[in-house]
């Protein structure tokens, strides 16, 4: 079960994004380039923490101890987009099983809403994190189709619930020394960053 990150103090900034997995082949004769899209796209993050006193740093130190380097996963999220920009009302559920790819039909949303979700909004389903590439507008039955990246890795079950507020994905630290700290003689912990990558 992934670990929850402490909520306080919050991050001062974050570098977050999707690492796409591709290959290119360039002809030595014509320099024509062939491009191949592979699976395995993953979210990556570098979080920055502020200077802290001992009491503030203690939950974060415990968090890194729980991670045990790259062994245990934690719930990671984009701190700049914890809530959607769209209306996002209703109780969204997957509408039909065996869905694959970069689209997902859902129902249970508020009906007849333009901009129910907007491009850039995140949603979570089936333990996966996805980001919309275009707006989602609902019809009179509260149905819509989401267009997003990365593609679904596994098909969610019919009526599986979507998470729209602070959706997460499991990440591990990028190496076994991310939990190191620098502390001065007055017990002030210096600002630090740590990097992580999605696992699945």
């Amino acid at each position: 079960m992934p670990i929850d990150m402490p909520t306080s103090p919050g991050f001062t900034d974050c570098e977050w994004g999707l690492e796409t997995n591709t290959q290119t082949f360039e002809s030595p004769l014509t320099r024509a380039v062939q491009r191949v899209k592979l699976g395995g796209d993953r979210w990556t993050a570098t979080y920055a923490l502020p200077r802290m006193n001992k009491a503030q740093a203690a939950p974060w130190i415990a968090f890194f101890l729980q991670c045990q380097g790259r062994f245990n996963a934690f719930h990671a999220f984009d701190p700049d987009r914890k809530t959607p920009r769209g209306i996002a009302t209703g109780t969204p559920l997957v509408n039909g099983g065996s869905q694959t790819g970069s689209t997902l039909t859902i129902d249970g949303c508020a009906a007849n809403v333009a901009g129910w979700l907007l491009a850039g909004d995140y949603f979570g389903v089936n333990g996966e994190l996805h980001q919309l590439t275009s707006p989602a507008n609902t019809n009179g039955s509260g149905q819509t189709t989401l267009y997003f990246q990365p593609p679904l890795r596994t098909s969610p079950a019919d009526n599986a619930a979507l998470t729209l507020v602070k959706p997460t994905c499991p990440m591990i630290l990028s190496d076994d020394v991310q939990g190191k700290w620098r502390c001065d003689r007055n017990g002030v912990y210096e600002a630090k960053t740590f990097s992580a990558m999605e696992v699945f």
Side-chain angles (χ1 to χ4, degrees):
M1 189 71 175
I3 303 160
D4 289 326
M5 289 191 287
T7 57
S8 179
F11 305 115
T12 56
D13 61 78
C14 175
E15 182 178 279
W16 174 278
L18 187 65
E19 182 182 281
T20 306
N21 191 18
T22 64
Q23 283 187 342
T24 58
F25 305 89
E26 182 175 329
S27 168
L29 300 177
T30 66
R31 290 193 172 178
V33 178
Q34 292 182 324
R35 301 174 303 280
V36 178
K37 177 66 177 67
L38 306 174
D41 296 352
R42 64 184 180 184
W43 296 105
T44 63
T46 300
Y47 295 106
L49 292 167
R51 298 180 80 207
M52 294 179 269
N53 59 35
K54 289 181 180 179
Q56 292 171 315
W60 281 104
I61 293 172
F63 164 75
F64 287 112
L65 290 173
Q66 287 179 292
C67 286
Q68 297 184 68
R70 291 175 290 181
F71 184 69
N72 287 320
F74 62 92
H75 293 292
F77 59 91
D78 182 348
D80 191 46
R81 292 181 179 269
K82 290 187 284 188
T83 57
R85 295 184 302 123
I87 302 301
T89 50
T91 306
L93 304 172
V94 173
N95 185 14
S98 302
Q99 299 191 59
T100 60
S102 297
T103 63
L104 185 68
T105 302
I106 64 171
D107 57 13
C109 315
N112 294 317
V113 176
W116 184 78
L117 286 180
L118 299 177
D121 286 343
Y122 290 99
F123 71 94
V125 67
N126 223 25
E128 301 178 15
L129 179 64
H130 305 280
Q131 190 169 25
L132 268 66
T133 55
S134 63
N137 305 318
T138 61
N139 63 19
S141 299
Q143 300 169 328
T144 187
T145 298
L146 306 179
Y147 296 84
F148 54 86
Q149 290 293 331
L152 293 165
R153 298 191 190 97
T154 57
S155 297
D158 183 30
N159 288 324
L162 274 66
T163 301
L164 302 180
V165 176
K166 198 179 172 182
T168 65
C169 67
M171 282 193 181
I172 59 170
L173 299 174
S174 59
D175 59 51
D176 289 335
V177 296
Q178 291 292 305
K180 283 188 175 180
W181 289 92
R182 183 181 181 88
C183 181
D184 69 17
R185 64 195 297 176
N186 297 313
V188 176
Y189 287 76
E190 298 298 330
K192 78 172 261 96
T193 62
F194 66 95
S195 299
M197 66 190 76
E198 185 183 10
V199 289
F200 36 82

